[in-house]
Amino acid sequence: MDTWIFNNNLVDTPPLNAVGFIYIITNLSNGKKYIGKKLLTMATYKQVNGKKKKARKESKWRQYQGSNKELLFDISINNHSIKKEIIEWSYTESQHNYLEIKYQFIYEVLEDINYYNDNINGRWYRKNIIQK
């Protein structure tokens, strides 16, 4: 499924000056969710006058399905049972990083086993938060 939804509308084109977005992917077959971030462009190099120059090109954000291994495994089993929603657009890379962490804490992804997220920013881990 290559369709992103923002405010209940299909996304064809990102807003002007947006660098990325914060998203939530829901596995409709089991109800589990994943909150993450995606940049609209990616770094690359191109040849200019025989020299390598840094450049940016559009990422494959339309086809993107998250980075969590468990989520990707579940998607590989049933690709048509996911919903991809954009929570918020980001306009700088700093804002992009901040918003991902903000929404992961707001949605309490480490405390709720119905989220695929098992850590936030590589600093806070579910295994250290949830008491057994």
Side-chain angles (χ1 to χ4, degrees), residues 112-128:
D112 187 341
I113 59 169
N114 292 311
Y115 281 89
Y116 289 100
N117 302 76
D118 61 358
N119 78 82
I120 295 176
N121 203 34
R123 292 186 66 181
W124 300 278
Y125 293 85
R126 172 175 285 144
K127 66 182 181 184
N128 299 332

Side-chain angles (χ1 to χ4, degrees), residues 83-97:
K83 182 178 182 182
K84 300 187 330 182
E85 299 172 274
I86 295 172
I87 300 171
E88 187 170 342
W89 296 97
S90 55
Y91 294 90
T92 67
E93 287 198 37
S94 293
Q95 181 190 43
H96 186 68
N97 295 327

Side-chain angles (χ1 to χ4, degrees), residues 13-24:
T13 310
L16 190 62
N17 299 323
V19 299
F21 55 87
I22 310 309
Y23 64 84
I24 186 164

Side-chain angles (χ1 to χ4, degrees), residues 3 8 15 39 47 49 58 60 90 92 97 102 105 127:
T3 305
N8 294 317
L39 288 171
Q47 288 277 58
N49 297 329
E58 184 173 300
K60 295 182 180 183
S90 55
T92 67
N97 295 327
K102 172 186 169 182
F105 276 113
K127 66 182 181 184

Side-chain angles (χ1 to χ4, degrees), residues 50-101:
K51 295 181 181 180
K52 276 188 174 181
K53 296 281 185 179
K54 284 186 180 180
R56 297 205 66 84
K57 70 176 187 175
E58 184 173 300
S59 67
K60 295 182 180 183
W61 65 270
R62 287 177 174 80
Q63 296 84 20
Y64 190 71
Q65 298 181 325
S67 59
N68 180 277
K69 290 178 183 173
E70 183 184 355
L71 168 65
L72 293 173
F73 176 76
D74 286 354
I75 289 171
S76 73
I77 293 170
N78 191 353
N79 187 30
H80 298 291
S81 69
I82 62 169
K83 182 178 182 182
K84 300 187 330 182
E85 299 172 274
I86 295 172
I87 300 171
E88 187 170 342
W89 296 97
S90 55
Y91 294 90
T92 67
E93 287 198 37
S94 293
Q95 181 190 43
H96 186 68
N97 295 327
Y98 167 75
L99 288 173
E100 178 191 31
I101 296 167

